[in-house]
């Protein structure tokens, strides 16, 4: 099933996108900082969410990991 139609998979994809963008921005800030607008601005915004809300994102990642591991 596609991640669009399964809510848990959609949340997993969004969390992975936020964490990946924050990690890439920590390693190479110039990659994401030059694209603050337009379609590629989504990645910059995800990196900002990952940086500013990192304790909440980390908690969501841990909760999502437990639900994936133990819900099935």
């Amino acid at each position: 099933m596609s991640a669009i139609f399964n809510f848990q998979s959609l949340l997993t994809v969004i969390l992975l996108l936020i964490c990946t963008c924050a990690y890439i921005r920590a390693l190479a800030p110039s990659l994401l900082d030059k694209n603050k607008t337009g379609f590629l601005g989504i990645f910059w915004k995800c990196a900002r969410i990952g940086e500013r809300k990192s304790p909440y994102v980390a908690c969501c990642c841990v909760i999502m990991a437990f639900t994936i591991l133990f819900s099935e």
Side-chain angles (χ1 to χ4, degrees), residues 2-42:
S2 176
I4 296 171
F5 301 116
N6 187 354
F7 186 67
Q8 183 177 2
S9 297
L10 180 66
L11 286 179
T12 304
V13 168
I14 291 170
L15 279 173
L16 286 174
L17 180 68
I18 289 171
C19 293
T20 303
C21 289
Y23 180 73
I24 290 172
R25 189 167 190 280
L27 290 180
S30 62
L31 283 175
L32 294 176
D33 286 345
K34 63 183 175 183
N35 297 320
K36 292 183 180 180
T37 59
F39 178 71
L40 295 176
I42 294 171

